[in-house]
Amino acid sequence: MEDWKNEVYPALESKRDEFHLLGYDRATVDEIWSCLLARLERNNDNEEIKLHQLVNDIMRLSPNEYMNWLTIHAYKGTGWVEEENLQN
């Protein structure tokens, strides 16, 4: 999957821009990609994902699902929240 990140980068940027327009100014391409990978791991039944399916999943990612993913990772203490607070 990581190999495809460069292939789908324009779709990830488009999704980031969409989130920014909706007021989620801190959304990043890397976070959207991580959220998408987590969703694919959860929902994949060991089927090979095709490129067009991956792009479709990116375009279908809702702000609600993205924010839920961020919240879960904040509660788990994955480190990105602490790193960001140290930078501010």
Side-chain angles (χ1 to χ4, degrees):
M1 278 301 196
E2 281 297 321
D3 299 336
W4 282 4
K5 184 176 181 181
N6 289 333
E7 294 290 326
V8 298
Y9 199 81
L12 292 167
E13 286 181 318
S14 176
K15 184 53 71 171
R16 180 204 56 208
D17 293 344
E18 176 188 334
F19 285 178
H20 286 188
L21 285 173
L22 294 172
Y24 300 99
D25 296 332
R26 299 183 84 174
T28 66
V29 169
D30 290 332
E31 288 175 349
I32 292 169
W33 178 249
S34 295
C35 176
L36 178 71
L37 290 179
R39 180 169 81 174
L40 290 174
E41 286 176 12
R42 229 180 16 251
N43 297 335
N44 190 6
D45 298 328
N46 293 327
E47 293 179 23
E48 186 174 330
I49 306 253
K50 294 178 176 58
L51 184 60
H52 71 276
Q53 292 170 320
L54 183 59
V55 171
N56 185 48
D57 285 342
I58 293 169
M59 292 296 124
R60 285 188 8 216
L61 182 65
S62 71
N64 185 43
E65 185 172 358
Y66 171 72
M67 293 305 293
N68 285 342
W69 178 83
L70 284 176
T71 302
I72 289 168
H73 282 279
Y75 283 125
K76 287 182 177 179
T78 56
W80 67 269
V81 172
E82 292 84 4
E83 290 173 13
E84 182 142 333
N85 286 337
L86 290 175
Q87 292 174 357
N88 292 335

